Amino acid sequence: MIAARGLSRSFGPRIAVDDVSVEVAPGEIVALLGPNGAGKTTTMRMLAGLIAPSSGSVTIDGVRLTRATGSTLRSRIGFLTEAPGLWDRLTVRENLRIYAGLYSLAHPDAVIRSTLETFGLEPYAATRAAELSKGLRQKAALARALLHTPDILLLDEPTSGLDPEIARTVRGMLADRRRAGCAILVSTHNLDEAERLADRVAVLHTRLLALDRPAALRQRLTTGRVLARVAGDAGAYLGTARGFDRGATIEYGAIVLTLSHADRETPTFVRALVAAGADVLEIRPEVPALEEVYLHLMADEARVATVPS
Amino acid sequence: MIRFRALLEKELLDVARNRAVLLPVAIATLVFLVLPFVIAILIPATTGDSLGDDAGLARVSLLMGPHENLSTNGRVQLFIFQQFLIVFLLMPVTGAMALAAHAIVGEKQARTLEPLLATPLTTLELLMAKVAGALIPTFAISTVGLIAYALIIAGSAETGVLPAMLNPRTLVLVLGVGPMCALVSLQMAVVISSRVNDPRTAQQFGVLIVVPVTALVIGQVSGALWLSGRALALVALGLFGAWILLTLFSVALFEREAILTRWK
């Protein structure tokens, strides 16, 4: 497990990261969301032991990441940087071979062979990195980050700029690593990806604005609006609906009402509709997308920032 | 050691794929391979003037010792070949300087430094591999040149000149002063490369490092600076100590954070 406690980092007078605490457990994917300049890369670098925090600490399975422990702990981390950072004049295989040496792998050839196979890079093994497409470079960089089978993965925008097919492959690989027990922190701008991939989402804007499961985050903005579609004339059941919400209306042939405790009241409402003789086709609570939650958090943060102290 | 070897392999592969970068070293080696022969063999043979007839040269060549088994002409040849030997040994350093100066700042510019620093590679391993990566190819070229130098001396100079050259002083020059001088210069270039944020700046500072080397070379060639074998051994030892200190200094000066966060 990798854990950050009260992590802060300043560059001169500018605070890049302020008091961030986050844990990523084995077999868990946490997505780090935030606008440009929110401190995502700085946080990743601190977690990777590349830069030291101004205050706070990073621990890996209880061992604090310091200058003295850095070299040993870094061998347990796979770090995908924002740029693929492959050596252009070297082939894909050579790039991997050098990194196999840097991680002191015992059987580099076998590991490289299996990694190339896993990532579908065998046809490009002898191709120089400079000649690869952007997607293949990203795949090769990801292969490099996973070469030493790290139990912690830090990935800075792993699918940025990739076509949907390769992005999906990458997501599949990350899901595989999660199943293998890897603790994965992914920084991304792609909210849809975060929602589909991550067990928990951390929203960062210098400080941590939220850290929770995507569903729980969405729940925060849940309005209690429920849409009920019934067979036949919906207006015939509007009275039943108004027993729950006086403002219930018909929109596009469906009953729309707001329940103050949607979780508890929705089953009661459904039973009332059925009792009134309605054939219920669909009941859909209105749940905001993660994007709305994210934008809401950012808007809140902007309001806080502009309020004079 | 495995990590050092791995990064060194990368450095050597990189140079092998970009051989043009070694062209200046090869040209410098060739020039200093040919130049002493032009002076000591070709010009006297063309003009018919024996080097031994030049009173100034004959006098200065006595710095090498009487060498009674050689004629005056042979002794002057010995003097010229011996003087050019140090030029020959040090000139490749100027070429390697470009490689060393580019070592860290080049990685940063290519955005390959961050993944590299995220590995367990230590700063000492990184810097040592960078120095060795610049040194080995240029030394390979100068070794080939050195063998050619000896063969040409054997084939064209007066009999006895080559055996007279093969003495402890030459050995100290070839195995001590040359490599140590190169190590110190390249280590310094790597330090500079880790402190500047532009390869051109590193290159400019690299030129400054070559200045004392050039002064040494000029002193040797002009005969103004003649160091005995013992003095050269001390110089080599001093350079070795300086290299150790410089290496420790370069590790202390290497700021991973500054390189990653402040360089653009």
Side-chain angles (χ1 to χ4, degrees):
Chain A
M1 174 193 281
I2 186 164
R5 301 246 184 283
L7 217 52
S8 298
R9 175 70 206 212
S10 303
F11 295 106
R14 189 175 70 84
I15 300 170
V17 176
D18 184 19
D19 195 23
V20 169
S21 295
V22 61
E23 284 178 359
V24 188
E28 183 184 34
I29 298 180
V30 174
L32 194 57
L33 296 177
N36 291 330
K40 298 190 299 292
T41 299
T42 303
T43 303
M44 288 278 192
R45 284 173 169 174
M46 285 192 281
L47 290 168
L50 289 175
I51 60 175
S54 306
S55 64
S57 65
V58 175
T59 56
I60 294 174
D61 289 339
V63 180
R64 191 169 174 157
L65 190 58
T66 61
R67 191 181 274 250
T69 59
S71 180
T72 313
L73 291 181
R74 280 200 299 273
S75 66
R76 297 183 54 192
I77 299 172
F79 185 33
L80 178 73
T81 49
E82 200 176 343
L86 299 169
W87 288 303
D88 278 348
R89 288 192 193 94
L90 272 56
T91 65
V92 172
R93 188 191 299 281
E94 286 164 347
N95 266 281
L96 295 181
R97 194 173 70 223
I98 303 300
Y99 271 83
L102 293 172
Y103 284 105
S104 311
L105 298 188
H107 305 288
D109 290 338
V111 172
I112 291 166
R113 211 170 24 250
S114 114
T115 305
L116 287 170
E117 193 186 315
T118 307
F119 284 82
L121 286 167
E122 292 146 306
Y124 309 98
T127 306
R128 290 193 190 183
E131 293 160 20
L132 296 175
S133 67
K134 187 176 179 180
L136 286 170
R137 286 170 76 83
Q138 189 74 349
K139 259 172 122 177
L142 194 58
R144 183 191 61 201
L146 289 167
L147 190 68
H148 56 298
T149 341
D151 33 45
I152 293 151
L153 261 180
L154 304 172
L155 309 170
D156 202 350
E157 302 189 20
T159 57
S160 164
L162 299 185
D163 66 52
E165 197 183 338
I166 296 182
R168 190 175 173 173
T169 312
V170 170
R171 281 197 294 272
M173 285 166 188
L174 296 183
D176 286 346
R177 293 306 305 152
R178 168 172 51 191
R179 274 191 291 279
C182 198
I184 305 170
L185 183 68
V186 185
S187 136
T188 180
H189 283 296
N190 188 336
L191 298 164
D192 178 53
E193 178 175 272
E195 188 152 20
R196 276 196 278 171
L197 191 66
D199 301 297
R200 288 190 299 152
V201 171
V203 183
L204 187 73
H205 196 288
T206 306
R207 62 194 183 86
L208 200 58
L209 302 183
L211 173 61
D212 216 330
R213 289 176 297 108
L217 285 177
R218 282 197 309 266
Q219 196 66 38
R220 290 186 187 190
L221 277 193
T222 300
T223 55
R225 267 166 66 95
V226 174
L227 178 145
R229 200 173 293 284
V230 294
D233 179 18
Y237 306 101
L238 195 57
T240 309
R242 286 196 169 144
F244 290 82
D245 171 21
R246 274 191 222 160
T249 55
I250 304 291
E251 287 181 17
Y252 302 105
I255 303 165
V256 177
L257 71 164
T258 301
L259 301 173
S260 48
H261 302 287
D263 285 355
R264 216 171 43 235
E265 289 180 280
T266 303
T268 317
F269 171 56
V270 173
R271 276 196 295 275
L273 282 177
V274 172
D279 291 330
V280 180
L281 300 175
E282 183 188 8
I283 292 286
R284 183 153 44 92
E286 196 177 79
V287 178
L290 188 60
E291 184 180 45
E292 285 175 59
V293 179
Y294 173 80
L295 293 174
H296 183 79
L297 285 165
M298 288 302 146
D300 271 358
E301 181 63 8
R303 268 197 298 278
V304 170
T306 52
V307 171
S309 52
Chain B
M1 197 60 189
I2 296 176
R3 296 190 293 251
F4 165 78
R5 243 185 9 235
L7 188 57
L8 179 59
E9 184 192 348
K10 176 259 154 184
E11 294 298 318
L12 298 179
L13 275 171
D14 206 32
V15 171
R17 300 278 156 77
N18 185 23
R19 289 195 197 109
V21 81
L22 290 177
L23 206 58
V25 184
I27 291 171
T29 304
L30 197 66
V31 165
F32 288 100
L33 188 67
V34 169
L35 202 58
F37 292 96
V38 171
I39 296 168
I41 310 288
L42 200 65
I43 293 176
T46 313
T47 58
D49 296 331
S50 169
L51 288 172
D53 296 342
D54 187 311
L57 272 175
R59 197 178 55 253
V60 82
S61 68
L62 281 169
L63 278 168
M64 311 275 306
H67 286 285
E68 280 152 6
N69 57 332
L70 291 175
S71 66
T72 310
N73 189 50
R75 201 179 61 229
V76 174
Q77 283 183 351
L78 172 65
F79 173 74
I80 291 171
F81 287 128
Q82 188 74 38
Q83 297 304 78
F84 269 93
L85 183 64
I86 195 163
V87 186
F88 189 74
L89 287 173
L90 296 180
M91 270 304 130
V93 173
T94 58
M97 199 60 69
L99 294 176
H102 202 255
I104 304 295
V105 69
E107 293 272 6
K108 169 71 184 176
Q109 219 168 42
R111 304 186 78 180
T112 51
L113 188 63
E114 192 172 357
L116 191 59
L117 293 181
T119 68
L121 186 76
T122 64
T123 303
L124 182 65
E125 289 165 338
L126 169 69
L127 298 179
M128 297 274 279
K130 288 292 181 184
V131 171
L135 195 63
I136 290 171
T138 49
F139 253 67
I141 291 175
S142 65
T143 304
V144 171
L146 199 64
I147 293 166
Y149 194 65
L151 288 175
I152 300 174
I153 292 173
S156 64
E158 196 175 285
T159 317
V161 169
L162 185 64
M165 274 188 79
L166 300 176
N167 55 40
R169 185 181 183 275
T170 308
L171 216 63
V172 172
L173 262 181
V174 172
L175 300 176
V177 176
M180 286 305 129
C181 198
L183 266 181
V184 169
S185 310
L186 298 181
Q187 192 72 46
M188 219 179 283
V190 170
V191 173
I192 290 164
S193 185
S194 68
R195 302 295 297 178
V196 298
N197 57 10
D198 175 37
R200 288 166 300 186
T201 316
Q203 191 81 44
Q204 292 303 317
F205 276 105
V207 171
L208 285 182
I209 297 170
V210 175
V211 170
V213 176
T214 312
L216 184 69
V217 163
I218 291 169
Q220 279 286 301
V221 174
S222 66
L225 181 69
W226 174 259
L227 297 174
S228 66
R230 190 182 294 266
L232 283 174
L234 283 173
V235 168
L237 209 63
L239 285 170
F240 180 68
W243 173 64
I244 300 276
L245 288 177
L246 199 57
T247 302
L248 297 174
F249 186 59
S250 60
V251 171
L253 274 182
F254 191 83
E255 293 179 42
R256 288 171 180 245
E257 286 198 31
I259 293 171
L260 289 178
T261 57
R262 274 182 240 151
W263 287 9
K264 292 290 172 202

